[in-house]
Amino acid sequence: MRAYLPAYELVVTRTLEDALALLRDEPGAWRPLAGGTDLMVLLEAGRLEHRKFFSVRQLAELRGIEESDGHVTIGALTTYTEVQRSRVLAREFPMLVRAAGETGGVAIQNRGTLGGNIANASPAADSPPALLAYGAEVELVSSRGSRWVAYADFHTGYKQTLMQPDELIARVRLPRPREGARHFYRKVGTRRAQAISKVCFAGLAELDGGVVREVRIALGSVAPVVLRCRRTEALLRGRRLDAESAGAALEEIAKEIAPIDDVRSTARYRARVARNLLAEFLAPPF
Amino acid sequence: MSDQNIGKPVPRKEGRAKVTGAARYVDDLAVPGMLYGVTVRSHVARGRISEIIFGDRIPWDEFTVVTARDIPGANAVALILNDQPYLADRIVNHAEEPILLLAHEDKYLLEEARRAVRVEIEPLPAVFSIEDSLAKKEIVWGEDNVFKSFLVEKGNVDEVWDSPGLVVVEGVYATGAQEQLYIETNGVIATASREEGVVVQGSMQCPYYVHKALVKLFDLPEDKVRVIQTETGGGFGGKEEYPSMIAGHAALLAWKSGRPVKMIYDRAEDMTATTKRHPSRTRHRTAVTRAGQLLGMEIDFVIDGGAYATLSAVVLSRGTIHAAGPYNCPNVRIRSRAVATNAPPHGAFRGFGAPQSIFALERHLDKVAAAVGLAPEELRRRNFISRGETTATGQVIREEVDMGALLDRAFELSDYHAKRERFSRENVGNKIKRGIGFASFMHGAGFTGSGEKYLQSVVGCEATAEGRVRVLAASTEIGQGTNTIFAQIAADALGLDYERVEVVRPDTASVPNSGPTVASRTCMIVGKLVESAALQLKQTLAGAGLLQEPYTAEEFERACREYIEKNGALKSFSQYRQPEGVEWDDEHYRGDAYGAYAWAVYVAEVSVDTLTYEARVEDFVAVQEVGRVIHPVLAAGQIEGGVAQGVGWTLYESVVWAGGRMANGQMTNYIIPTSADIPPIRVHFFENPYAGGPAGAKGIGELPMDGPAPAILNAVEHATGVRFDSVPLTPEAIMEALEGEAVKA
């Protein structure tokens, strides 16, 4: 443990209201601690710079998975384990379930939360590409009220988000995909478990008679943020899916992503694998 | 001698304590008044220390601070050349080199203090690769950057190349560093004072290495230094030499503070600062007849020793001797060098140089086979060594060895031929390419050459008045099963139940020096001494007229009681004696390099995903002859663990270096395989009892590290049609080779 523990503060708020009041009264001073699976790694390494935290783990308001006609809504404190145990998610959002199953190990999956994963804003996170491909919206709450934002707009730069200092992530809402849609998720992390992705691909496509009615493509670890590839999507939307349109998409995605060399992989590898996975996603039979 | 325990899966001696959590590792222990210690290290690879600045806001008067000037004896870790300082004084030669030690009772404040020390270092030019070191781009050690070199000559290889009708095949092969990644990091607790001497307990493989180092560091008589091994969570060579360093550091802090000091490395420090497997580069030039007979092998083997000599000379020795493999070739020249760079010193790691040189040879032989149009197995069959033939050092193989039979069995278990044919056919047009490959190899057990003769290991056996038997040895239980097999061996030598025998905890105050726990020597060499010490115990009782075979446990107990009543104690000691007829010429590196070899053929089946360029091992067959198997579960565990570690070295574990520092010193970024990445490992033993080992056993621990890398890369070549000649073989490297210029950055 390289952190100087006496320098840290952790308080427990009893209700969501109390938590939001804390954020309102001292904006930016307090940060939420949910599962702690990202924060504890930094703490252990002596690299957790922020010092004041409030626990949100006990806030029942932020739990649970609910179904409505058009959507499934997931509480921010839903753990990866709970995601994997949800029948509705397994049936309709298999990419999210798969991402949850490939995040960390069992202990991490028991503690880590979807909301925490979003707030941590790592470009290498596993669930966010699936959330982007499913067209997720995020509910942000504060003592001022609540607002829904498109998750595709949420990450504004490396570790930057559009959240205000007094806001907390409350829920994530996913529109239910059409039956027969293609869901294609692939995390590439070299080993089969406990990996941080080098490339993570999530794609959802709905076709009508060979024509792309809707398509959403998202990638992790190829840009400063988890990236929704809107230009590539736009190129495919409304077009017949064939070798020509797929080829154009492959060219476009190479321009849309901005991978880098780091200790985990190389820009060249990431670019090539992203391209291969898109080709696989667009390959027949549909 | 009975046969009640050997060959049976008796329960591990320390198994219950480990499984229930009762086992106490060094970080579980506390001593009253104990301080914690940390190390301030160099952040540059090579340079001159100009100033050490103690930052503000730290109550420095509460801290114990140790620098090189506080060392009472010699500032060098006593090992082979004694060139590595305990604490850098003026010059640093590698990043993470220890410069300063701090102790305080608050371990959190201690971390703040470590961060508050700033060491100003004027950088000097540094060397980071074997090539730059050989080219003397900068002289960073001695006169020529060479720690050690060997030359092995058999026949006259110079006369071979021009013979008519020969095919000459060349190749260059490279291997990377590898972190041992034992579960328990390095740690010790020390007490020290001039009056009481120095006592260190901790996680280690070789208590007497630590003892020797502390005697020199403190300039104390041998009986004023005591080293005790605590329960140890793995070593793999990583706790062969390094514990001498951390033990010295903790003891220096204890000496100065007058308080006990605990030092435990966290994972990041253990990964970045302690030893790793030596990177290597091997050149092969081979002359072979069109019929596939090896006529000449010229091998140039180089390892990167890092900044100090440490154990590199002996790692090089083992790598050199294994470089020509289990083949009968009349003309061989092996030239080898261990060179200096400004990396943290590389050190012992399971296999000790042999995995590096065997990787090169077994990759190269697939290339040689292709060059003469033979199947890889056919080339090897035509050259396998057999009884009466000689190795590269001229050692005549006196034991029966049948590599062909091992190969047959491995191929049968793996369905090699059918898969080879089927994969070749089905790979066309498939996104997943499959392949199968193998490697054949041997591994010598015990110290090289005259090493065991110089070590003169001693083991004791003691009986109590209750008829219980205690084995006294410095050989450590580090998870591999030392205590269990020693008890099996002693119990069978005495015809007693396994439960009657215990193996005492290694403590230099109470056990004789049975040598280090390294080199696949614990079972074969030390186990043999356990056996003979136990037999002597029995002979002592028989000689006193107290015991006659056959006897019951009660009769043994009575005999012990009567003997002890009369003589005070019942103990026997057995010392190593080199077997008759063993000859070794250290100057010319000729003769009997090892008492015995284990022989093996490993087959790997792989898949390569052309979407992600990830290679995976799908199936693995490990067939070996290791003499008599003492404990079938532990023996299979050794093979499975070694293969898993070999799979890691081959496909996953990549040390990313940045200016001589490990940039990925975290388990999230230094990728070792998980259980989900390890294939089924099917282990098969041939048992051919070896007269020099206990109940016929030979060494086993290092062998399984040798075969996986070449077998896997041979299989990857079969799958992809592309030759890869270095490990780790990462998906990035496979991508570059398969896609070449087609890749857009």
Side-chain angles (χ1 to χ4, degrees):
Chain A
M1 168 71 72
R2 297 195 180 185
Y4 184 55
L5 278 185
Y8 290 87
E9 271 184 76
L10 178 65
V11 299
V12 176
T13 46
R14 296 202 178 281
T15 63
L16 179 59
E17 210 184 331
D18 290 349
L20 297 179
L22 193 68
L23 288 172
R24 178 195 62 211
D25 296 342
E26 295 176 72
W30 296 90
R31 288 194 190 165
L33 177 84
T37 55
D38 284 302
L39 296 179
M40 294 306 284
V41 174
L42 293 174
L43 183 75
E44 165 69 27
R47 292 194 287 114
L48 183 58
E49 291 183 4
H50 197 81
R51 300 291 169 92
K52 293 166 84 168
F53 293 90
F54 64 102
S55 171
V56 293
R57 252 183 105 67
Q58 67 289 349
L59 302 179
E61 298 94 321
L62 306 184
R63 297 195 166 272
I65 299 170
E66 286 167 22
E67 292 177 56
S68 64
D69 280 352
H71 293 89
V72 170
T73 306
I74 307 168
L77 287 178
T78 303
T79 64
Y80 302 114
T81 300
E82 288 163 348
V83 167
Q84 290 174 77
R85 286 180 183 163
S86 157
R87 281 195 196 165
V88 64
L89 294 181
R91 198 168 57 236
E92 298 184 39
F93 302 93
M95 296 194 287
L96 184 60
V97 172
R98 179 146 172 207
E102 293 191 20
T103 302
V106 172
I108 297 293
Q109 291 170 13
N110 284 340
R111 269 199 87 87
T113 67
L114 204 56
N117 203 212
I118 291 169
N120 189 55
S122 163
D126 299 322
S127 295
L131 295 176
L132 286 174
Y134 285 130
E137 295 167 286
V138 177
E139 185 189 22
L140 302 174
V141 292
S142 69
S143 53
R144 295 173 287 123
S146 139
R147 60 173 177 147
W148 284 94
V149 298
Y151 182 49
D153 300 329
F154 182 85
H155 297 290
T156 54
Y158 179 70
K159 292 262 178 184
Q160 304 285 309
T161 73
L162 51 58
M163 284 176 76
Q164 295 300 312
D166 64 344
E167 285 180 317
L168 201 58
I169 298 172
R171 292 183 291 175
V172 177
R173 185 163 73 188
L174 305 176
R176 301 178 106 151
R178 280 217 295 188
E179 258 183 64
R182 168 175 287 201
H183 308 242
F184 180 84
Y185 180 88
R186 183 83 185 255
K187 170 179 170 175
V188 180
T190 299
R191 66 180 168 201
R192 284 183 174 150
Q194 304 263 37
I196 296 183
S197 69
K198 293 175 173 179
V199 178
C200 182
F201 183 100
L204 184 92
E206 298 169 359
L207 266 67
D208 274 334
V211 173
V212 179
R213 197 189 69 84
E214 175 61 304
V215 62
R216 288 190 292 265
I217 295 163
L219 279 155
S221 296
V222 296
V225 295
V226 278
L227 189 71
R228 174 95 181 263
C229 299
R230 292 181 190 275
R231 298 209 310 263
T232 306
E233 291 170 8
L235 213 142
L236 288 163
R237 206 169 282 127
R239 263 178 91 171
R240 176 162 295 281
L241 187 56
D242 53 21
E244 195 191 326
S245 58
L250 294 182
E251 280 189 30
E252 189 57 40
I253 205 159
K255 292 182 239 163
E256 204 162 5
I257 62 177
I260 56 164
D261 290 340
D262 63 14
V263 293
R264 286 195 272 275
S265 189
T266 64
R268 287 164 61 84
Y269 175 81
R270 290 177 158 124
R272 183 69 197 190
V273 171
R275 178 195 157 97
N276 289 352
L277 294 176
L278 178 62
E280 185 72 5
F281 171 58
L282 299 177
F286 237 99
Chain B
M1 299 248 301
S2 73
D3 211 1
Q4 288 302 303
N5 296 293
I6 286 172
K8 302 204 168 53
V10 298
R12 290 181 75 137
K13 281 288 177 193
E14 81 296 358
R16 178 181 291 269
K18 281 181 175 165
V19 169
T20 58
R24 300 197 3 118
Y25 295 80
V26 64
D27 204 17
D28 298 324
L29 307 176
V31 180
M34 188 174 80
L35 305 178
Y36 296 90
V38 293
T39 313
V40 176
R41 299 175 180 279
S42 171
H43 55 279
V44 305
R46 185 162 176 254
R48 193 173 284 114
I49 300 170
S50 54
E51 201 182 354
I52 298 175
I53 299 157
F54 293 84
D56 300 335
R57 294 198 305 270
I58 301 290
W60 289 110
D61 56 342
E62 296 174 9
F63 284 77
T64 302
V65 181
V66 166
T67 69
R69 262 152 267 167
D70 294 304
I71 291 174
N75 184 12
V77 184
L79 197 59
I80 298 175
L81 294 183
N82 306 344
D83 66 329
Q84 182 182 26
Y86 269 98
L87 291 168
D89 189 13
R90 293 194 297 278
I91 298 289
V92 292
N93 286 304
H94 64 86
E96 328 304 344
E97 182 159 9
I99 294 171
L100 188 97
L101 305 168
L102 299 172
H104 194 276
E105 60 192 8
D106 178 346
K107 61 182 174 183
Y108 301 111
L109 185 61
L110 191 59
E111 280 299 335
E112 286 285 274
R114 168 151 67 175
R115 266 193 290 272
V117 178
R118 206 169 82 236
V119 183
E120 298 283 334
I121 301 172
E122 299 162 26
L124 291 167
V127 164
F128 298 124
S129 70
I130 285 174
E131 288 65 35
D132 286 351
S133 181
L134 284 173
K136 304 191 182 74
K137 194 175 162 199
E138 190 69 33
I139 300 295
V140 297
W141 193 90
E143 286 171 11
D144 57 1
N145 290 342
V146 178
F147 292 126
K148 186 77 182 176
S149 60
F150 293 110
L151 181 65
V152 172
E153 296 251 30
K154 178 188 181 187
N156 187 344
V157 78
D158 292 330
E159 289 178 358
V160 171
W161 309 111
D162 298 331
S163 315
L166 275 185
V167 178
V168 175
V169 185
E170 299 188 17
V172 184
Y173 307 88
T175 65
Q178 184 185 21
E179 167 58 31
Q180 291 90 353
L181 224 70
Y182 26 70
I183 294 176
E184 182 203 23
T185 55
N186 274 285
V188 295
I189 297 173
T191 58
S193 69
R194 192 167 293 284
E195 304 71 43
E196 301 292 316
V198 174
V199 181
V200 170
Q201 52 180 331
S203 181
M204 64 185 72
Q205 291 178 228
C206 313
Y208 275 96
Y209 278 8
V210 177
H211 185 268
K212 174 182 162 184
L214 292 173
V215 163
K216 294 269 191 338
L217 174 64
F218 287 92
D219 193 21
L220 285 170
E222 289 188 4
D223 62 357
K224 282 283 194 188
V225 173
R226 180 178 174 196
V227 178
I228 306 156
Q229 184 223 1
T230 50
E231 198 73 69
T232 298
F236 310 113
K239 292 173 189 164
E240 176 169 349
E241 71 270 44
Y242 204 85
S244 298
M245 177 69 84
I246 185 173
H249 287 167
L252 286 168
L253 284 167
W255 183 270
K256 188 161 181 186
S257 66
R259 310 252 304 257
V261 173
K262 178 192 267 192
M263 283 187 98
I264 307 284
Y265 288 171
D266 66 6
R267 183 63 67 184
E269 184 168 23
D270 203 292
M271 289 182 81
T272 55
T274 75
T275 57
K276 293 174 189 58
R277 183 184 298 288
H278 289 72
S280 77
R281 190 271 286 142
T282 309
R283 285 182 201 286
H284 271 271
R285 187 172 181 226
T286 304
V288 59
T289 67
R290 294 206 176 276
Q293 193 198 348
L294 295 173
L295 278 190
M297 299 169 86
E298 189 162 27
I299 305 169
D300 179 57
F301 176 57
V302 189
I303 60 173
D304 172 356
Y308 295 108
T310 63
L311 288 170
S312 289
V314 275
V315 171
L316 183 72
S317 162
R318 186 172 282 269
T320 304
I321 291 166
H322 286 78
Y327 305 103
N328 179 38
C329 179
N331 305 289
V332 180
R333 175 183 296 140
I334 309 166
R335 197 162 92 92
S336 66
R337 285 162 291 178
V339 300
T341 64
N342 296 105
H346 295 297
F349 192 157
R350 195 179 206 168
F352 212 67
Q356 290 93 318
S357 63
I358 289 170
F359 166 73
L361 177 66
E362 287 299 299
R363 274 302 288 142
H364 187 64
L365 287 185
D366 267 30
K367 190 175 185 181
V368 172
V372 293
L374 285 176
E377 65 277 16
E378 194 49 41
L379 176 84
R380 287 171 176 85
R381 281 188 200 281
R382 291 179 190 187
N383 295 282
F384 275 147
I385 201 163
S386 49
R387 175 141 75 170
E389 293 177 334
T390 55
T391 66
T393 64
Q395 175 169 9
V396 180
I397 299 300
R398 296 189 186 89
E399 310 283 320
E400 188 59 49
V401 46
D402 190 348
M403 292 294 293
L406 298 179
L407 184 77
D408 288 342
R409 188 82 179 111
F411 277 25
E412 184 191 321
L413 288 169
S414 60
D415 201 15
Y416 178 90
H417 289 295
K419 282 183 172 169
R420 186 103 180 161
E421 185 276 326
R422 181 158 60 84
F423 294 159
S424 297
R425 185 160 35 83
E426 291 176 353
N427 277 342
V428 182
N430 257 342
K431 283 178 189 151
I432 307 278
K433 311 285 184 193
R434 303 178 84 87
I436 190 163
F438 73 97
S440 40
F441 55 100
M442 87 295 206
H443 197 98
F447 265 32
T448 301
S450 326
E452 293 295 345
K453 201 167 83 181
Y454 293 131
L455 265 180
Q456 301 235 342
S457 294
V458 176
V459 165
C461 229
E462 181 182 27
T464 68
E466 294 76 39
R468 297 191 63 80
V469 174
R470 308 170 77 221
V471 175
L472 309 170
S475 305
T476 51
E477 168 67 60
I478 55 173
Q480 84 284 45
T482 298
N483 290 351
T484 304
I485 62 163
F486 280 4
Q488 286 177 286
I489 291 165
D492 273 7
L494 291 165
L496 296 173
D497 283 348
Y498 171 69
E499 285 72 26
R500 273 193 180 259
V501 183
E502 75 170 296
V503 181
V504 306
R505 179 171 295 287
D507 174 343
T508 57
S510 56
V511 302
N513 188 355
S514 61
T517 305
V518 303
S520 307
R521 65 185 295 278
T522 300
C523 180
M524 185 176 100
I525 304 281
V526 188
K528 187 71 178 175
L529 297 175
V530 171
E531 184 182 88
S532 51
L535 290 173
Q536 278 176 44
L537 207 64
K538 187 162 71 175
Q539 282 156 11
T540 304
L541 291 174
L546 295 170
L547 195 64
Q548 225 177 350
E549 298 214 52
Y551 53 83
T552 64
E554 290 69 33
E555 286 162 349
F556 178 79
E557 194 178 314
R558 192 182 323 123
C560 291
R561 192 169 56 242
E562 287 176 20
Y563 186 94
I564 289 166
E565 276 169 10
K566 206 155 134 199
N567 301 289
L570 175 52
K571 271 191 191 186
S572 67
F573 290 93
S574 178
Q575 181 159 39
Y576 179 80
R577 272 201 313 262
Q578 190 161 281
E580 292 294 317
V582 172
E583 301 284 344
W584 176 254
D585 174 351
D586 233 340
E587 193 182 340
H588 300 99
Y589 250 56
R590 289 200 61 72
D592 299 314
Y594 298 100
Y597 294 89
W599 311 93
V601 175
Y602 284 7
V603 181
E605 182 186 326
V606 304
S607 66
V608 179
D609 185 334
T610 56
L611 286 181
T612 63
Y613 314 99
E614 291 169 315
R616 300 190 184 287
V617 184
E618 303 287 352
D619 189 27
F620 203 95
V621 169
V623 174
Q624 51 262 304
E625 191 268 281
V626 296
R628 180 85 189 278
V629 171
I630 300 283
H631 191 296
V633 174
L634 287 175
Q638 283 291 305
I639 303 302
E640 290 163 4
V643 168
Q645 219 157 24
V647 168
W649 186 46
T650 310
L651 294 177
Y652 298 92
E653 300 182 39
S654 179
V655 175
V656 178
W657 295 103
R661 310 187 82 171
M662 184 182 189
N664 56 337
Q666 312 126 299
M667 292 178 77
T668 42
N669 289 329
Y670 178 77
I671 303 295
I672 63 165
T674 66
S675 54
D677 301 295
I678 297 299
I681 300 167
R682 292 180 281 145
V683 179
H684 184 84
F685 290 111
F686 277 64
E687 294 191 78
N688 177 26
Y690 163 60
K698 298 194 284 198
I700 190 172
E702 295 173 292
L703 175 82
M705 190 72 217
D706 295 340
I712 291 165
L713 260 62
N714 289 342
V716 170
E717 181 178 359
H718 179 227
T720 61
V722 178
R723 293 189 54 86
F724 293 97
D725 290 331
S726 61
V727 292
L729 180 60
T730 59
E732 287 77 7
I734 295 176
M735 186 278 288
E736 295 289 346
L738 294 189
E739 306 297 346
E741 310 224 321
V743 187
K744 272 192 206 159

